[in-house]
Amino acid sequence: MPEMPEVQGLVDFLRGRASGLTITRATVANIAALKTYDPPIQALEGSTITGASRHGKFIDLSTTGPHLVFHLAKAGWLRWTDALAPTIIRPGKTPIALRIAFDDGSGFDLTEAGTKKSLAFYVVRDPADVPGVERLGPDPLDEGFDRDAFAGLLAGRRTQIKGVLRDQMIIAGVGNAYSDEILHAAKMSPYALASSLDESDIDRLYAAMTETLTEAIAEASGKPPAELKDAKRRGMQVHGRRGEACPVCGDTVRSVFFADNSLEYCPTCQTGGKILADRRLSRLLK
Ligand SMILES: [Zn+2]
């Protein structure tokens, strides 16, 4: 799943490549992914791209007409082509959800792999009209978001820190992968309760969060969409690296499996050597 750094990479790419281009055609191949009906999708046709920005993990293309806002969800991606093929897209038989064609012959597809479809796009007058955008918490890299603002978000939350970091309504842009990386960098258990963190824990976690995200954004910035996923994978210390050696201490990276995902952590760095119970297995054994 693309998270803040990859989404920022896509936004930077689109701002540079698509600004000034006029949309000649917007073809919806997965109608279920289009979440709005007013303005209609055709309102994009004839509109010129004026900019691109990011709201959490949402990408917002502004035009001289409405905004096109999209969320790539778990298995979605943006595929850019300098010369868009004139092929006809057959709905239901393609991973393409939306195709945008520009007046210079270029364009992009929003694609989604797998059978569970959750990619979403919106044609709106104002990005705040998208419910997921309107509900977003603060962006951890915003100038005003300092260590004390972060402490304020954690205070009194008797929930596990892993869940807090991933909750878009609390902090925008961090998902499963970067929350694993941030917690590893902070040497903190994913199960630590947010409300139980002391001042030095919060210092460490805030520093780990801003450094991890800033470095990942620097890595993603300037890369074409096709290279962003590999760049993300390469940058990971523990996420997606179960069974490999922790680059910090050499211990074996472990996973905890849940119904539809998993987290990775290093026992030596994060839990005092304790192996966390596999949630999927323990549920089966009950
Ligand atoms: Zn380690």
Side-chain angles (χ1 to χ4, degrees), residues 184 187 238 246-251 266-270:
H184 178 253
K187 298 193 183 299
V238 290
C246 167
V248 174
C249 73
D251 192 2
C266 167
T268 296
C269 289
Q270 295 175 257

Side-chain angles (χ1 to χ4, degrees), residues 18-93:
S19 290
L21 298 181
T22 297
I23 299 174
T24 52
R25 181 165 254 180
T27 311
V28 179
N30 176 13
I31 189 70
L34 173 59
K35 304 299 182 190
T36 51
Y37 58 91
D38 177 30
I41 186 88
Q42 294 79 16
L44 290 170
E45 297 176 352
S47 300
T48 300
I49 305 291
T50 53
S53 55
R54 181 179 64 75
H55 312 282
K57 292 184 261 185
F58 289 85
I59 293 172
D60 172 9
L61 274 178
S62 53
T63 78
T64 50
H67 290 249
L68 171 64
V69 178
F70 51 94
H71 189 289
L72 296 167
K74 205 166 181 171
W77 198 243
L78 181 145
R79 192 169 60 196
W80 177 273
T81 354
D82 284 331
L84 207 57
T87 37
I88 293 157
I89 311 167
R90 293 213 173 76
K93 296 196 159 104

Side-chain angles (χ1 to χ4, degrees), residues 228-267:
L228 285 170
K229 278 197 251 188
D230 280 345
K232 176 185 177 186
R233 253 191 299 272
R234 272 198 310 275
M236 295 285 147
Q237 306 254 295
V238 290
H239 184 78
R241 297 202 180 275
R242 177 165 59 103
E244 296 180 29
C246 167
V248 174
C249 73
D251 192 2
T252 305
V253 172
R254 306 270 179 168
S255 288
V256 180
F257 289 94
F258 301 90
D260 60 352
N261 64 7
S262 66
L263 66 80
E264 275 81 46
Y265 70 103
C266 167

